[in-house]
């Protein structure tokens, strides 16, 4: 077989333009051999929802403990984004009400043993409305800890549930903070040899990089009982070359975009598209 | 001089074994190829049937288990998919294509089976 192929190729070489034909012939043979062993096929893997939400017809994105960031209001941006995603997916009816002033409520309830007052639907003030005191800045996870007790305050959430006709309540915390890192990174660099041929070689270089870290914790609360049904924490980060100027809001959306499918999968079935290889 | 019938029978069995194996592999291969054709047309249930048949015909055929795993994954039967991928990898531990499929599957499966919801 090989001898016959070589003979055919040799005969091509002897004729005009034979070299091109021989190359084509070899390429075709190589392609045929390669194509016969495997095939790539697109698949869609269905993933069942993590939470059974059949008992709820409405969902209330109540707001998040997010503090202040100079460029991005992580609380309001997260509320807007989640509401819009849930509306698009039509998973449940999204309650369009003001967010809860969770920071104030957490401060008022102190250690979480007392029940803070529940603001009525109309009077609920936006969490980031400028007030007399400057909102705290959260740069680390431990900064959020003093406020976490609010999520375990069953009486408070039950009363919020009653206020909004017992929906599924989504709350939690969102840490969106700048970060800076320096160290050696591996980059690919183009080099040309003495014959002018291009090559790409890995090069280790020291780089100053800056970016953002997004660490949201989503807490799903049963509006009928005030009890936590499910908690989900994500962590995503992005780093850029220190000289690159990327707006914080754009980084925030890029990071949220990565974890949105997993958030939505908590409430509804998702199909994950991918490609797999079938073997012969 | 008489030949022991037992030795003769053993000889016949040994001589015919490679032929029988090749025949089974050939039949399994036919099932695999038909399964691929129908899977490409979106008929995944039929593909599963074909590849299950191929795995029965030749339980040493890694391709049958790999393809079956892909089909189970597409059907959302993740536990069965894991089992089939593991079987394919046990048969061909150095097959990079099966390994790649399995790694991609694990990424999805780990996400789907998280119990405490942590994604860190």
């Amino acid at each position: 077989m090989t001898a016959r192929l070589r003979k055919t190729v040799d005969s091509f070489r002897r004729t005009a333009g034979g070299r091109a034909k021989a190359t084509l012939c070899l390429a075709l043979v190589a392609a045929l051999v390669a194509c016969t062993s495997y095939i790539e096929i697109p698949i869609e893997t269905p993933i069942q929802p993590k939470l059974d939400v059949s008992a709820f017809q409405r969902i209330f994105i109540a707001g998040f403990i997010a503090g202040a960031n100079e460029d991005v209001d992580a609380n309001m941006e997260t509320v807007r984004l989640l509401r819009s995603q849930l509306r698009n997916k039509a998973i449940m009816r999204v309650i369009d009400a003001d967010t809860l002033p969770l920071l104030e409520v957490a401060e008022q309830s102190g250690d979480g043993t007392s029940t803070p007052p529940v603001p009525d639907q109309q009077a609920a003030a936006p969490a980031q409305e400028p007030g007399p005191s400057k909102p705290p800045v959260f740069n680390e996870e431990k900064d959020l800890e003093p406020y976490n007790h609010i999520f375990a305050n069953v009486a408070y959430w039950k009363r919020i549930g009653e206020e909004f006709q017992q929906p599924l309540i989504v709350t939690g915390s969102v840490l969106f903070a700048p970060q800076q890192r320096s160290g050696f990174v591996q980059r690919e660099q183009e080099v040309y040899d003495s014959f002018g041929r291009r090559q790409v070689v890995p090069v280790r270089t020291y780089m100053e990089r800056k970016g953002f870290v997004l660490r949201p914790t989503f807490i799903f609360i049963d509006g009928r009982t005030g009890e936590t049904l499910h908690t989900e924490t994500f962590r995503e980060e992005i780093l850029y070359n220190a000289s690159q100027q990327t707006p914080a809001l754009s980084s925030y959306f890029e990071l949220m975009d990565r974890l949105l499918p997993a958030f939505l999968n908590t409430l509804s079935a998702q199909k994950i598209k991918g490609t797999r290889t079938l073997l012969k | 001089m008489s030949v022991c019938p037992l030795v003769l029978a053993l000889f016949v069995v040994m001589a015919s074994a490679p032929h029988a194996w090749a025949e089974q592999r050939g039949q399994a291969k036919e099932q695999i190829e038909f399964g691929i054709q129908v899977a490409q047309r979106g008929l995944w249930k039929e593909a599963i049937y074909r590849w299950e048949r191929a795995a029965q015909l030749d339980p040493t055929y890694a391709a049958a288990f790999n393809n079956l795993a892909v089909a189970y994954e597409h059907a959302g039967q993740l536990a069965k998919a894991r089992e089939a991928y593991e079987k394919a990898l046990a048969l061909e531990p150095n097959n990079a294509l099966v390994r790649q499929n399995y790694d991609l599957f694990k990424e999805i499966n780990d996400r789907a089976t998280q119990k405490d919801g942590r994604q860190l």
Side-chain angles (χ1 to χ4, degrees), chain A residues 87-121:
Chain A
R87 269 194 210 101
N88 288 345
K89 301 277 171 193
I91 295 165
M92 273 180 272
R93 200 177 143 204
V94 181
I95 296 172
D96 202 7
D98 289 333
T99 55
L100 303 174
L102 293 174
L103 282 173
E104 290 165 34
V105 173
E107 278 162 6
Q108 279 172 30
S109 63
D111 59 357
T113 49
S114 60
T115 308
V118 177
D120 67 90
Q121 201 166 336

Tab-separated table of all heavy atoms in Angstrom, chain A residues 87-121:
chain	number	residue	atom	x	y	z
A	87	ARG	N	-36.150	38.105	34.838
A	87	ARG	CA	-37.283	38.498	33.985
A	87	ARG	C	-37.128	37.878	32.601
A	87	ARG	O	-38.081	37.349	32.036
A	87	ARG	CB	-37.329	40.030	33.856
A	87	ARG	CG	-38.183	40.659	34.912
A	87	ARG	CD	-38.507	42.114	34.598
A	87	ARG	NE	-38.677	42.810	35.852
A	87	ARG	CZ	-37.771	43.585	36.417
A	87	ARG	NH1	-36.619	43.811	35.803
A	87	ARG	NH2	-37.998	44.157	37.571
A	88	ASN	N	-35.907	37.942	32.059
A	88	ASN	CA	-35.671	37.375	30.723
A	88	ASN	C	-35.943	35.883	30.690
A	88	ASN	O	-36.443	35.354	29.704
A	88	ASN	CB	-34.221	37.621	30.294
A	88	ASN	CG	-33.984	39.075	29.954
A	88	ASN	OD1	-34.933	39.827	29.766
A	88	ASN	ND2	-32.735	39.481	29.901
A	89	LYS	N	-35.580	35.208	31.747
A	89	LYS	CA	-35.748	33.748	31.777
A	89	LYS	C	-37.172	33.358	32.163
A	89	LYS	O	-37.540	32.194	32.021
A	89	LYS	CB	-34.788	33.114	32.793
A	89	LYS	CG	-33.333	33.386	32.506
A	89	LYS	CD	-32.767	32.434	31.483
A	89	LYS	CE	-31.378	32.887	31.077
A	89	LYS	NZ	-30.878	32.229	29.902
A	90	ALA	N	-37.934	34.312	32.676
A	90	ALA	CA	-39.324	34.072	33.095
A	90	ALA	C	-39.433	32.875	34.036
A	90	ALA	O	-40.327	32.036	33.898
A	90	ALA	CB	-40.222	33.910	31.878
A	91	ILE	N	-38.521	32.785	34.958
A	91	ILE	CA	-38.533	31.658	35.894
A	91	ILE	C	-39.674	31.850	36.911
A	91	ILE	O	-40.418	30.933	37.207
A	91	ILE	CB	-37.169	31.549	36.610
A	91	ILE	CG1	-36.079	31.216	35.586
A	91	ILE	CG2	-37.196	30.488	37.710
A	91	ILE	CD1	-34.674	31.427	36.067
A	92	MET	N	-39.761	33.075	37.440
A	92	MET	CA	-40.821	33.433	38.393
A	92	MET	C	-41.160	34.901	38.168
A	92	MET	O	-40.400	35.607	37.501
A	92	MET	CB	-40.293	33.260	39.828
A	92	MET	CG	-40.457	31.878	40.388
A	92	MET	SD	-39.818	31.817	42.049
A	92	MET	CE	-38.128	31.418	41.746
A	93	ARG	N	-42.231	35.326	38.781
A	93	ARG	CA	-42.574	36.744	38.672
A	93	ARG	C	-41.627	37.537	39.578
A	93	ARG	O	-41.510	37.234	40.768
A	93	ARG	CB	-44.023	36.955	39.090
A	93	ARG	CG	-44.575	38.258	38.563
A	93	ARG	CD	-46.029	38.422	38.915
A	93	ARG	NE	-46.258	39.827	39.223
A	93	ARG	CZ	-47.227	40.269	39.980
A	93	ARG	NH1	-48.064	39.429	40.545
A	93	ARG	NH2	-47.378	41.553	40.188
A	94	VAL	N	-40.959	38.512	38.999
A	94	VAL	CA	-39.966	39.267	39.756
A	94	VAL	C	-40.634	40.475	40.414
A	94	VAL	O	-41.298	41.271	39.740
A	94	VAL	CB	-38.816	39.734	38.828
A	94	VAL	CG1	-37.762	40.503	39.620
A	94	VAL	CG2	-38.185	38.549	38.125
A	95	ILE	N	-40.489	40.589	41.722
A	95	ILE	CA	-41.092	41.714	42.445
A	95	ILE	C	-40.223	42.945	42.239
A	95	ILE	O	-39.018	42.921	42.499
A	95	ILE	CB	-41.239	41.376	43.948
A	95	ILE	CG1	-42.216	40.214	44.121
A	95	ILE	CG2	-41.680	42.601	44.742
A	95	ILE	CD1	-42.303	39.670	45.530
A	96	ASP	N	-40.867	43.983	41.749
A	96	ASP	CA	-40.134	45.210	41.446
A	96	ASP	C	-40.345	46.213	42.578
A	96	ASP	O	-41.172	47.112	42.481
A	96	ASP	CB	-40.635	45.761	40.103
A	96	ASP	CG	-39.611	46.677	39.467
A	96	ASP	OD1	-38.490	46.755	40.004
A	96	ASP	OD2	-39.945	47.304	38.450
A	97	ALA	N	-39.622	46.027	43.652
A	97	ALA	CA	-39.753	46.938	44.798
A	97	ALA	C	-38.374	47.480	45.160
A	97	ALA	O	-37.358	46.945	44.696
A	97	ALA	CB	-40.338	46.178	45.985
A	98	ASP	N	-38.371	48.523	45.984
A	98	ASP	CA	-37.084	49.067	46.422
A	98	ASP	C	-36.315	48.011	47.211
A	98	ASP	O	-36.916	47.150	47.871
A	98	ASP	CB	-37.313	50.294	47.305
A	98	ASP	CG	-37.805	51.477	46.488
A	98	ASP	OD1	-37.493	51.528	45.286
A	98	ASP	OD2	-38.512	52.330	47.056
A	99	THR	N	-35.020	48.120	47.160
A	99	THR	CA	-34.204	47.166	47.922
A	99	THR	C	-34.277	47.507	49.414
A	99	THR	O	-34.592	48.645	49.793
A	99	THR	CB	-32.738	47.205	47.473
A	99	THR	OG1	-32.283	48.554	47.575
A	99	THR	CG2	-32.565	46.714	46.060
A	100	LEU	N	-33.987	46.529	50.233
A	100	LEU	CA	-34.050	46.745	51.686
A	100	LEU	C	-32.758	47.413	52.158
A	100	LEU	O	-31.674	47.060	51.677
A	100	LEU	CB	-34.214	45.396	52.403
A	100	LEU	CG	-35.423	44.556	51.985
A	100	LEU	CD1	-35.369	43.190	52.656
A	100	LEU	CD2	-36.727	45.255	52.345
A	101	PRO	N	-32.865	48.314	53.112
A	101	PRO	CA	-31.640	48.939	53.646
A	101	PRO	C	-30.954	48.011	54.643
A	101	PRO	O	-31.010	48.215	55.852
A	101	PRO	CB	-32.171	50.221	54.307
A	101	PRO	CG	-33.583	49.901	54.660
A	101	PRO	CD	-34.090	48.866	53.718
A	102	LEU	N	-30.337	46.989	54.118
A	102	LEU	CA	-29.817	45.902	54.957
A	102	LEU	C	-28.741	46.353	55.949
A	102	LEU	O	-28.673	45.842	57.066
A	102	LEU	CB	-29.286	44.772	54.089
A	102	LEU	CG	-30.332	44.016	53.269
A	102	LEU	CD1	-29.673	43.008	52.341
A	102	LEU	CD2	-31.317	43.300	54.185
A	103	LEU	N	-27.905	47.297	55.509
A	103	LEU	CA	-26.837	47.762	56.417
A	103	LEU	C	-27.433	48.389	57.671
A	103	LEU	O	-27.032	48.078	58.791
A	103	LEU	CB	-25.942	48.779	55.712
A	103	LEU	CG	-24.909	48.213	54.745
A	103	LEU	CD1	-24.226	49.332	53.995
A	103	LEU	CD2	-23.890	47.366	55.481
A	104	GLU	N	-28.419	49.246	57.431
A	104	GLU	CA	-29.078	49.915	58.568
A	104	GLU	C	-29.774	48.892	59.454
A	104	GLU	O	-29.682	48.942	60.678
A	104	GLU	CB	-30.112	50.924	58.070
A	104	GLU	CG	-29.495	52.148	57.412
A	104	GLU	CD	-30.517	52.933	56.611
A	104	GLU	OE1	-31.696	52.972	57.020
A	104	GLU	OE2	-30.132	53.501	55.570
A	105	VAL	N	-30.471	47.972	58.813
A	105	VAL	CA	-31.217	46.958	59.562
A	105	VAL	C	-30.253	46.124	60.399
A	105	VAL	O	-30.507	45.847	61.570
A	105	VAL	CB	-32.030	46.067	58.588
A	105	VAL	CG1	-32.671	44.904	59.318
A	105	VAL	CG2	-33.087	46.890	57.887
A	106	ALA	N	-29.120	45.749	59.789
A	106	ALA	CA	-28.134	44.933	60.510
A	106	ALA	C	-27.565	45.717	61.696
A	106	ALA	O	-27.360	45.155	62.777
A	106	ALA	CB	-27.020	44.514	59.563
A	107	GLU	N	-27.313	46.993	61.476
A	107	GLU	CA	-26.768	47.811	62.567
A	107	GLU	C	-27.784	47.964	63.699
A	107	GLU	O	-27.432	47.910	64.876
A	107	GLU	CB	-26.344	49.186	62.037
A	107	GLU	CG	-24.959	49.139	61.400
A	107	GLU	CD	-24.674	50.333	60.503
A	107	GLU	OE1	-25.505	51.264	60.453
A	107	GLU	OE2	-23.621	50.314	59.839
A	108	GLN	N	-29.051	48.130	63.316
A	108	GLN	CA	-30.097	48.292	64.334
A	108	GLN	C	-30.326	47.027	65.146
A	108	GLN	O	-30.537	47.081	66.350
A	108	GLN	CB	-31.424	48.669	63.663
A	108	GLN	CG	-31.510	50.143	63.331
A	108	GLN	CD	-32.747	50.442	62.503
A	108	GLN	OE1	-33.760	49.770	62.628
A	108	GLN	NE2	-32.652	51.450	61.663
A	109	SER	N	-30.258	45.882	64.446
A	109	SER	CA	-30.552	44.635	65.145
A	109	SER	C	-29.352	44.136	65.948
A	109	SER	O	-29.467	43.165	66.686
A	109	SER	CB	-31.016	43.565	64.171
A	109	SER	OG	-29.985	43.280	63.270
A	110	GLY	N	-28.213	44.786	65.827
A	110	GLY	CA	-27.031	44.461	66.634
A	110	GLY	C	-26.570	43.038	66.442
A	110	GLY	O	-26.148	42.658	65.366
A	111	ASP	N	-26.698	42.237	67.507
A	111	ASP	CA	-26.177	40.864	67.431
A	111	ASP	C	-27.156	39.896	66.795
A	111	ASP	O	-26.904	38.693	66.729
A	111	ASP	CB	-25.805	40.368	68.835
A	111	ASP	CG	-27.006	40.395	69.783
A	111	ASP	OD1	-28.087	40.848	69.340
A	111	ASP	OD2	-26.853	39.980	70.946
A	112	GLY	N	-28.296	40.420	66.341
A	112	GLY	CA	-29.231	39.545	65.634
A	112	GLY	C	-30.292	38.932	66.522
A	112	GLY	O	-31.154	38.210	66.039
A	113	THR	N	-30.256	39.209	67.810
A	113	THR	CA	-31.251	38.608	68.706
A	113	THR	C	-32.560	39.394	68.684
A	113	THR	O	-33.630	38.837	68.876
A	113	THR	CB	-30.720	38.537	70.151
A	113	THR	OG1	-30.201	39.820	70.487
A	113	THR	CG2	-29.632	37.480	70.296
A	114	SER	N	-32.469	40.700	68.452
A	114	SER	CA	-33.688	41.513	68.401
A	114	SER	C	-34.204	41.580	66.972
A	114	SER	O	-33.443	41.441	66.026
A	114	SER	CB	-33.397	42.921	68.907
A	114	SER	OG	-32.411	43.524	68.097
A	115	THR	N	-35.512	41.821	66.841
A	115	THR	CA	-36.111	41.898	65.509
A	115	THR	C	-36.168	43.348	65.065
A	115	THR	O	-36.822	44.167	65.708
A	115	THR	CB	-37.537	41.314	65.529
A	115	THR	OG1	-37.453	40.022	66.117
A	115	THR	CG2	-38.115	41.225	64.141
A	116	PRO	N	-35.484	43.693	64.007
A	116	PRO	CA	-35.516	45.078	63.549
A	116	PRO	C	-36.849	45.426	62.914
A	116	PRO	O	-37.582	44.522	62.487
A	116	PRO	CB	-34.393	45.124	62.520
A	116	PRO	CG	-34.286	43.731	62.027
A	116	PRO	CD	-34.692	42.836	63.141
A	117	PRO	N	-37.170	46.688	62.851
A	117	PRO	CA	-38.441	47.053	62.221
A	117	PRO	C	-38.413	46.742	60.724
A	117	PRO	O	-37.380	46.856	60.085
A	117	PRO	CB	-38.525	48.570	62.458
A	117	PRO	CG	-37.113	49.004	62.665
A	117	PRO	CD	-36.405	47.849	63.285
A	118	VAL	N	-39.572	46.326	60.231
A	118	VAL	CA	-39.653	46.027	58.805
A	118	VAL	C	-40.170	47.261	58.068
A	118	VAL	O	-41.254	47.750	58.366
A	118	VAL	CB	-40.622	44.842	58.558
A	118	VAL	CG1	-40.772	44.564	57.074
A	118	VAL	CG2	-40.118	43.614	59.273
A	119	PRO	N	-39.404	47.792	57.148
A	119	PRO	CA	-39.892	48.958	56.418
A	119	PRO	C	-41.013	48.548	55.475
A	119	PRO	O	-40.949	47.483	54.868
A	119	PRO	CB	-38.662	49.414	55.632
A	119	PRO	CG	-37.803	48.210	55.520
A	119	PRO	CD	-38.124	47.315	56.659
A	120	ASP	N	-42.054	49.363	55.381
A	120	ASP	CA	-43.133	48.960	54.476
A	120	ASP	C	-42.685	49.205	53.040
A	120	ASP	O	-41.707	49.894	52.770
A	120	ASP	CB	-44.452	49.686	54.807
A	120	ASP	CG	-44.376	51.153	54.535
A	120	ASP	OD1	-44.692	51.537	53.420
A	120	ASP	OD2	-43.970	51.914	55.453
A	121	GLN	N	-43.414	48.579	52.136
A	121	GLN	CA	-42.979	48.505	50.742
A	121	GLN	C	-42.685	49.890	50.125
A	121	GLN	O	-41.728	50.062	49.399
A	121	GLN	CB	-44.067	47.813	49.937
A	121	GLN	CG	-43.552	47.234	48.638
A	121	GLN	CD	-44.557	46.294	48.052
A	121	GLN	OE1	-45.383	45.739	48.759
A	121	GLN	NE2	-44.489	46.109	46.762
